[in-house]
């Protein structure tokens, strides 16, 4: 249960090797992105990407479809999200692509008709044209500032993120881990599958596996 990768990030800052395991694709994507340093060229590629979004706003080469998509997304929002997924799919550098996909994931709930991250009820938000692209740009710029700081201070220790079931750690060697950090018990429940379902659909992850 690596969550959003805080323990992995701290391990990199403390020069400790680390392993993160989570069944939720969104969690492993975020953790991988947050714990991966970027060089100046990669950061420049990200900034160039968001600066040129308007130029490709009418180009949709990748279509996404899933059950009840029109119930959860306005038509204009759908078109802007498809433009973003189309543009990101053309990025060859996997670190840059994962960075952009993480930023995209973070705005999906807010531009959907889903009321909030913790309430799976449809609500008319009346999102104007261009709002989805604007939110994406703001998010990416914010993420760039944080990854710059991380990249300057992170050590060269290794971090491995596994999208897997933590009750079956067959991919780890016996006696290869010195310390295990686990999440404390929750006083309530949070349905990760339900609240992250729309994000997983847009990023084309296996929703059924997480369910």
């Amino acid at each position: 249960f690596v969550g959003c990768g805080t323990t992995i990030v701290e391990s990199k800052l403390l020069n400790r090797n680390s392993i993160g395991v989570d069944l939720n694709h969104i969690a492993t994507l975020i953790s991988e992105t947050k714990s991966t340093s970027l060089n100046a060229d990669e950061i420049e590629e990200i900034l160039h990407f968001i600066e040129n979004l308007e130029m490709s706003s009418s180009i949709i080469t990748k279509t996404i479809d899933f059950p009840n998509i029109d119930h959860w997304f306005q038509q204009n929002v759908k078109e802007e999200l498809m433009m973003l997924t189309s543009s990101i799919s053309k990025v060859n550098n996997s670190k840059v692509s994962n960075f952009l996909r993480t930023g995209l994931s973070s705005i999906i709930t807010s531009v959907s008709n889903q009321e909030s991250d913790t309430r799976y009820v449809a609500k008319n938000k009346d999102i104007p044209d261009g709002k989805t692209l604007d939110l994406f740009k703001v998010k990416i710029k914010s993420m760039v500032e944080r990854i710059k700081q991380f990249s300057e201070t992170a050590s060269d220790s290794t971090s491995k993120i596994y999208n897997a079931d933590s009750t079956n750690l067959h991919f780890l060697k016996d006696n290869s881990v010195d310390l295990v950090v686990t999440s404390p018990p929750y006083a309530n429940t949070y349905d990760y599958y339900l609240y992250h379902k729309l994000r997983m659909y847009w990023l084309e992850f296996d929703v059924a596996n997480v369910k």
Side-chain angles (χ1 to χ4, degrees):
F1 190 73
V2 74
C4 60
T6 300
T7 303
I8 302 295
V9 168
E10 293 302 323
S11 297
K12 294 285 286 187
L13 296 175
L14 292 170
N15 197 27
R16 294 179 181 271
N17 297 330
S18 56
I19 297 167
V21 181
D22 207 299
L23 194 64
N24 186 342
H25 306 280
I26 301 298
T28 52
L29 174 65
I30 294 171
S31 298
E32 187 77 46
T33 298
K34 284 174 64 174
S35 60
T36 300
S37 297
L38 299 180
N39 60 38
D41 288 341
E42 289 163 338
I43 290 174
E44 181 62 29
E45 182 178 352
I46 291 168
L47 293 176
H48 180 76
F49 180 92
I50 61 174
E51 287 169 1
N52 288 274
L53 278 177
E54 287 88 357
M55 296 171 58
S56 59
S57 60
S58 61
I59 302 174
I60 297 177
T61 58
K62 186 179 184 66
T63 57
I64 304 287
D65 194 22
F66 51 85
N68 299 317
I69 187 172
D70 292 325
H71 174 72
W72 292 109
F73 293 91
Q74 298 174 193
Q75 181 62 30
N76 60 332
V77 172
K78 275 196 333 184
E79 291 175 0
E80 291 178 46
L81 287 175
M82 285 184 190
M83 187 278 287
L84 286 170
T85 56
S86 295
S87 299
I88 294 172
S89 69
K90 299 172 187 174
V91 175
N92 294 320
N93 186 316
S94 61
K95 292 198 292 183
V96 172
S97 175
N98 282 342
F99 192 91
L100 294 169
R101 280 159 57 84
T102 300
L104 177 63
S105 169
S106 73
I107 70 163
I108 286 175
T109 301
S110 59
V111 299
S112 73
N113 296 333
Q114 183 176 326
E115 184 170 329
S116 70
D117 273 323
T118 57
R119 187 163 168 75
Y120 194 70
V121 176
K123 175 183 178 181
N124 183 12
K125 298 180 183 177
D126 195 21
I127 297 169
D129 293 349
K131 181 68 174 180
T132 301
L133 293 183
D134 288 342
L135 286 175
F136 177 75
K137 291 178 188 177
V138 169
K139 183 62 180 181
I140 292 297
K141 288 178 181 178
S142 172
M143 288 171 58
V144 163
E145 291 307 310
R146 294 200 297 276
I147 204 64
K148 278 182 181 178
Q149 296 176 17
F150 173 78
S151 300
E152 291 169 358
T153 55
S155 67
D156 292 328
S157 62
T158 62
S159 62
K160 296 181 180 179
I161 312 294
Y162 294 92
N163 181 232
D165 184 345
S166 60
T167 64
N168 181 11
L169 302 177
H170 61 88
F171 45 85
L172 300 183
K173 294 181 180 180
D174 290 345
N175 302 312
S176 63
V177 174
D178 299 308
L179 173 68
V180 177
V181 181
T182 64
S183 175
Y186 278 20
N188 58 355
T189 58
Y190 184 95
D191 193 336
Y192 286 91
Y193 156 73
L194 185 63
Y195 298 139
H196 291 183
K197 184 163 63 171
L198 297 180
R199 301 181 187 195
M200 287 188 280
Y201 277 139
W202 277 103
L203 295 177
E204 298 182 285
F205 286 134
D206 184 356
V207 175
N209 186 40
V210 179
K211 182 180 180 180

